Amino acid sequence: MQEKFSIGVFDSGVGGTSIWKEIVTRLPFENTIYLADSKHAPYGAKTKKEIISLSVKNTEYLINAGCKIIVVACNTATTNAIDYLRDHYDIPFIGIEPAIKPAALQSRSKCVGILATQGTLNSSLFHNTLEQYAQDVRVIEVIGEGLVPLIESGTLESIELKNLLQSYITPMVRAGIDYLVLGCSHYPYLIPLLKEMLPKEIQIIDSGLAVAKQTEAVLSSQNALYKKTLGTHRLYSNKDVAILEGFVSRFRESVLTQNTSTVSYLDF
Ligand code: DGL
């Protein structure tokens, strides 16, 4: 069964396709299975217990489908549930965390901004990272409340979205940030808007490429990299397939060929 050799990826919705795309680009021979748990989005305002329970549900589907590794393409699920998942399942997990470390190291103004969900910013994993890497840097934390539902609706250019985003970044710019860390896998889809709004000297950092590299490193260390034929990709939404298809179709011309990916409804 080809699923046996897949990389499993899940997110609270369509946003994790920004990470999935980096994995497919870097590892074109691997099969992938992507779960968009849009029915339960957003995860960001849920309790840790709820986030763990949803992460367990997604993980069990992917393990039963025969995945060899699971990428938690959601900062909120990583920061709240990855320790639990690693303790309870005998499969490697790759998580995604806000890229505070490179931002803090490279910042010249010693002031960086982070836009993330409430669940991520409140997590102890995030606070540990801050303590470890951002002691000498002022970190402006902003909860991107409302952004995930708007991105999940599939429209990335509405006035509502623009106004909301502007209201979140204005205090960061005023505070003098020179790096903006995107701490949610939905937010890379906002980069075109952010580039219009932010002064040119402010760098935007997300963690997608780092996750793809880490996935490659772990598979390679386990001798589990597949190198023979182009991978196939199955993406599932438990809510609106057309919206997931809309996000995936951006990559059909570049990283995907028409016949290697399917987007379908799945009740999970
Ligand atoms: N993509 C998720 C993340 O990276 C969004 C969380 C949510 O659903 O609120 O945090």
Side-chain angles (χ1 to χ4, degrees), residues 33-78:
I33 301 176
Y34 180 93
L35 297 182
D37 193 13
S38 298
K39 188 163 79 178
H40 300 104
Y43 281 11
K46 295 193 191 313
T47 63
K48 185 176 172 81
K49 202 170 156 201
E50 288 169 324
I51 296 166
I52 289 176
S53 150
L54 291 167
S55 301
V56 162
K57 165 186 70 70
N58 301 332
T59 295
E60 294 201 344
Y61 178 85
L62 292 171
I63 289 177
N64 289 335
C67 290
K68 60 184 173 184
I69 189 168
I70 293 179
V71 178
V72 182
C74 174
N75 293 256
T76 311
T78 299

Side-chain angles (χ1 to χ4, degrees), residues 163-220:
N163 288 344
L164 201 56
L165 194 56
Q166 187 72 60
S167 73
Y168 293 148
I169 60 169
T170 298
M172 300 191 193
V173 175
R174 286 208 184 116
I177 64 162
D178 58 356
Y179 279 84
L180 170 62
V181 177
L182 301 183
C184 170
S185 57
H186 281 67
Y187 299 167
Y189 288 111
L190 302 177
I191 289 175
L193 272 185
L194 284 167
K195 283 195 168 153
E196 281 171 25
M197 293 174 176
L198 288 169
K200 286 211 168 30
E201 55 282 5
I202 296 180
Q203 309 283 324
I204 302 170
I205 307 197
D206 73 84
S207 317
L209 182 58
V211 169
K213 285 183 178 170
Q214 180 65 5
T215 306
E216 180 179 30
V218 170
L219 288 178
S220 172

Side-chain angles (χ1 to χ4, degrees), residues 1-30:
M1 220 169 53
Q2 86 184 5
E3 284 93 337
K4 262 208 165 102
F5 307 105
S6 298
I7 298 175
V9 183
F10 76 82
D11 178 40
S12 61
V14 295
T17 52
S18 67
I19 312 298
W20 167 84
K21 178 255 300 180
E22 299 288 348
I23 294 168
V24 173
T25 306
R26 192 155 183 99
L27 302 170
F29 299 117
E30 298 292 339

Side-chain angles (χ1 to χ4, degrees), residues 127-138:
H127 283 278
N128 293 344
T129 308
L130 277 189
E131 256 169 52
Q132 220 176 329
Y133 300 111
Q135 292 271 11
D136 61 337
V137 171
R138 183 169 172 222

Side-chain angles (χ1 to χ4, degrees), residues 56-127:
V56 162
K57 165 186 70 70
N58 301 332
T59 295
E60 294 201 344
Y61 178 85
L62 292 171
I63 289 177
N64 289 335
C67 290
K68 60 184 173 184
I69 189 168
I70 293 179
V71 178
V72 182
C74 174
N75 293 256
T76 311
T78 299
T79 51
N80 286 276
I82 204 159
D83 290 345
Y84 181 95
L85 297 175
R86 287 187 172 134
D87 284 349
H88 288 80
Y89 298 95
D90 189 20
I91 184 173
F93 287 91
I94 308 292
I96 176 166
E97 282 183 64
I100 282 289
K101 184 180 169 186
L105 284 175
Q106 292 168 66
S107 173
R108 291 202 194 146
S109 69
K110 292 291 166 206
C111 183
V112 306
I114 164 143
L115 190 61
T117 69
Q118 184 184 334
T120 295
L121 295 177
N122 286 346
S123 68
S124 45
L125 199 64
F126 175 70
H127 283 278

